[in-house]
Amino acid sequence: MSSGGSSGAGGSNGGGNGDGGGGANEFDFAAPATDQSFENALAKARDGARLTVDDATELLATGTASAGIDPVRKEAVLEAADRRRREAVGDEVTFVANLNNNVTTACNTGCLFCNFKDSAHAFEADSDVEHAGFTKTPTESREVVEDALDMGIYEVCSVSGLHPAFALNAEHHEILAAYDDPASEVNYKVPEEYATDPGTYVEQMRAMSVGGVHLHSMTPEEAYHASRGTDWEYEAVYRELAEAGLDSAPGTAAEILVDEVRDVICPGKIRTDDWVAAMEGAAAAGLDVTSTMMYGHVETVAHRAQHLKVIRDLQDRTGAITEFVPLSFIHQNTPLYRRGVVDSGPSRAEDELVVAVARLFLDNVDHVQASWVKSGDAHGLKLLNCGADDFMGTILSEEITSRAGGEYGEYRSFDDYVEMITAIGRTPVERSTDYRTRRRIDPDDGPHGPRLGPRADGTPMLPDRSSGGEGAAGDAAGTPPADADD
Ligand SMILES: C[S@@+](CC[C@H](N)C(=O)[O-])C[C@H]1O[C@@H](n2cnc3c(N)ncnc32)[C@H](O)[C@@H]1O
Ligand SMILES: Nc1c(NC[C@H](O)[C@H](O)[C@H](O)CO)[nH]c(=O)[nH]c1=O
Ligand SMILES: N[C@@H](Cc1ccc(O)cc1)C(=O)O
Ligand code: SF4
């Protein structure tokens, strides 16, 4: 219904922690207003009817007619979503034994929510600019994955900055180098200009696809970078990557899939249509994909609802999406916060409503993830009672959230997982990346370790923190790995 000029619960900017809502919306995004009432939207959700964008907007706002989140209405939405989760996927809570192996932090795209990246200039061979980032060669990437395979991982997840020397393959290097001014026209510089050559995307895929591990990599933004300056179709690019060992693609770079929001938070990134085209290309190449939404910065609840519709439509067309991953914006060290554009990330109430409405709206996506990296253990467990059924993975290494100021560490052991999941009365299940292979874990049969990885034998994972190996470096309290010698 009409919001009468209030910004309702939309947009965290200006609204303190978002719970109060009602702050001035400095981008003048229209205050959320719909032709639906909260009561009707909730009734439809309870009945299992397919929800509209207006329905989702009302549920996310606990009614747009008044500002702020109504705690009683919120509980009603969470209860409906928790019930839907139980009907759809039961009481199991899944997690994956995985490793994050990000290849490089060099990136000039300039997203204002991101503190993962370092200006690529600092990585040049003759630069004396200090930075805490890294670039790994394909050989180094392989070593990190090999070590983690010995610990029992099933999956390696790799997302990286858009290093100017990255190209898909040798032919792509030639095409990019032939531009008159490659740096300004196609964001390209030859590898010789840098202290460390990341190799090509194909070489990195070959290096990381070792020993039967599942390789989860190449976001739509990376696929764009791997085809910049050419007329190559996304499907062809993903096919070549798949031949080099890629198994599935992460649906990050989604942020909010509404261009007026992208114009504010990531003007250098591909637009919504292009993101969708890349995901369709990955699906056409036979790859599974995940889907994400990074929320709680400048967007309104209506933008969140529109984003969910883009994902649901994509899934109707492809059936390739294995999970939806809500990414709660971590604000502390980001340009958006430092420049005063936002006061904070989303509130816990907003996190809960995003998970719940994702479960209710995305009737064609089976799995919704709670992130202990973004939310911590206690709140992560709460999200498992709001519609989520997956609790991420062991990851062993974390650079995106920690560099943004997140404080929840970079590793959870199988024993941690079993203890937490059984504490909320659910069944812990080790999963494959695609969720098709699952192993229920008997809580009484500890100590627990992975069994699905190609080299897993049930031994608990013990990341070696003394070796300084980049994959498992850092400590569980969230200290980033030691700087690489770029
Ligand atoms: C850091 S990028 C790396 C991969 C690639 N450069 C890209 O943009 O797709 C991966 C994702 O991390 C998420 N991310 C980055 N900074 C974040 C922050 N401060 N809080 C929450 N998520 C963040 C964004 O959704 C982003 O798309
Ligand atoms: N939510 C976060 C994830 N999710 C990805 C999973 O770890 C896994 O790769 C995926 O479910 C496919 O199996 N990863 C992070 O590093 N940080 C998060 O906050
Ligand atoms: N690495 C991303 C999260 C992510 C990765 C892969 C996925 O398939 C989904 C989400 C982050 O920390 O923000
Ligand atoms: S989100 Fe990705 S593309 Fe954007 S600045 Fe960070 S690393 Fe670069």
Side-chain angles (χ1 to χ4, degrees):
M1 289 302 204
S2 163
S3 64
S6 144
S7 66
S12 298
N13 59 308
N17 65 11
D19 249 354
N25 195 326
E26 112 183 33
F27 303 102
D28 289 332
F29 289 140
T34 75
D35 292 328
Q36 179 61 293
S37 68
F38 173 80
E39 288 78 9
N40 281 342
L42 181 64
K44 281 179 70 178
R46 284 176 168 156
D47 288 350
R50 194 163 240 218
L51 302 179
T52 64
V53 169
D54 277 359
D55 295 331
T57 303
E58 288 300 319
L59 296 176
L60 284 163
T62 61
T64 58
S66 57
I69 292 174
D70 179 304
V72 176
R73 285 179 165 189
K74 183 193 80 170
E75 289 307 321
V77 177
L78 305 188
E79 191 277 331
D82 193 43
R83 194 147 36 85
R84 178 73 62 80
R85 182 271 306 160
R86 197 173 312 117
E87 288 159 9
V89 291
D91 274 334
E92 295 184 345
V93 173
T94 48
F95 57 95
V96 63
N98 69 343
L99 160 77
N100 284 351
N101 177 53
N102 305 331
V103 171
T104 178
T105 59
C107 190
N108 289 332
T109 307
C111 303
L112 282 85
F113 55 80
C114 178
N115 196 44
F116 169 72
K117 85 280 189 172
D118 300 287
S119 166
H121 175 67
F123 294 71
E124 291 178 12
D126 57 4
S127 165
D128 49 16
V129 177
E130 297 258 323
H131 68 91
F134 56 86
T135 298
K136 293 171 195 157
T137 63
T139 305
E140 288 167 337
S141 281
R142 173 163 289 204
E143 281 165 13
V144 175
V145 178
E146 283 276 15
D147 287 351
L149 269 169
D150 288 339
M151 287 187 249
I153 61 150
Y154 179 93
E155 164 198 304
V156 55
C157 174
S158 180
V159 297
S160 295
L162 309 180
H163 195 303
F166 246 146
L168 179 65
N169 52 21
E171 183 191 356
H172 195 204
H173 270 297
E174 279 178 28
I175 294 170
L176 292 166
Y179 274 81
D180 290 338
D181 184 1
S184 69
E185 286 179 276
V186 283
N187 186 17
Y188 178 74
K189 285 193 181 180
V190 291
E192 292 72 29
E193 298 225 20
Y194 292 91
T196 304
D197 178 359
T200 65
Y201 281 114
V202 161
E203 285 165 349
Q204 283 285 352
M205 296 304 115
R206 284 208 190 104
M208 287 189 277
S209 178
V210 60
V213 80
H214 178 111
L215 176 55
H216 182 60
S217 188
M218 299 302 296
T219 76
E221 195 69 34
E222 293 178 279
Y224 167 75
H225 198 60
S227 60
R228 70 194 186 285
T230 76
D231 59 2
W232 298 340
E233 302 274 347
Y234 284 118
E235 178 180 343
V237 170
Y238 274 113
R239 274 192 197 286
E240 181 156 352
L241 293 164
E243 273 164 30
L246 181 66
D247 295 296
S248 61
T252 60
E255 324 315 355
I256 294 289
L257 290 165
V258 181
D259 287 343
E260 66 180 4
V261 178
R262 303 179 84 71
D263 289 342
V264 177
I265 65 165
C266 52
K269 261 197 156 115
I270 55 175
R271 306 289 84 189
T272 300
D273 285 356
D274 216 8
W275 185 91
V276 170
M279 294 291 266
E280 286 185 322
L287 300 173
D288 283 333
V289 296
T290 65
S291 58
T292 68
M293 172 169 79
M294 196 203 54
Y295 63 94
H297 33 85
V298 307
E299 85 290 359
T300 68
V301 286
H303 292 129
R304 295 178 197 169
Q306 289 163 38
H307 176 108
L308 291 175
K309 177 77 159 55
V310 174
I311 303 286
R312 191 174 71 187
D313 288 349
L314 174 66
Q315 180 73 327
D316 277 343
R317 293 196 299 279
T318 65
I321 300 174
T322 52
E323 66 187 19
F324 178 72
V325 183
L327 298 172
S328 188
F329 173 52
I330 308 296
H331 67 282
Q332 286 89 336
N333 300 333
T334 64
L336 278 181
Y337 177 64
R338 295 211 152 150
R339 295 180 195 173
V341 182
V342 301
D343 307 339
S344 72
S347 66
R348 292 187 168 189
E350 288 179 279
D351 290 333
E352 293 159 15
L353 284 162
V354 164
V355 165
V357 177
R359 169 60 70 187
L360 294 165
F361 188 90
L362 299 175
D363 53 8
N364 53 4
V365 177
D366 289 341
H367 305 291
V368 178
Q369 186 170 100
S371 170
W372 54 258
V373 170
K374 308 283 192 239
S375 300
D377 295 346
H379 189 49
L381 289 172
K382 164 74 183 169
L383 297 175
L384 291 169
N385 286 327
C386 302
D389 69 309
D390 181 73
F391 208 14
M392 235 183 84
T394 53
I395 72 171
L396 290 162
S397 171
E398 209 294 317
E399 285 119 10
I400 299 171
T401 299
S402 58
R403 288 184 137 214
E407 292 167 349
Y408 297 117
E410 51 184 341
Y411 171 62
R412 289 296 180 279
S413 68
F414 269 50
D415 282 343
D416 291 338
Y417 267 120
V418 171
E419 191 184 335
M420 288 194 283
I421 294 165
T422 50
I424 58 166
R426 305 268 283 276
T427 306
V429 174
E430 179 186 3
R431 67 160 165 97
S432 58
T433 305
D434 67 8
Y435 292 80
R436 285 173 200 120
T437 308
R438 312 163 69 97
R439 178 179 72 92
R440 287 170 74 107
I441 298 176
D442 176 357
D444 298 325
D445 190 22
H448 307 283
R451 288 195 178 274
L452 300 184
R455 294 182 200 159
D457 63 3
T459 307
M461 297 169 93
L462 288 174
D464 177 4
R465 308 200 179 282
S466 58
S467 73
E470 276 179 286
D475 60 38
T479 308
D483 303 350
D485 52 353
D486 214 325

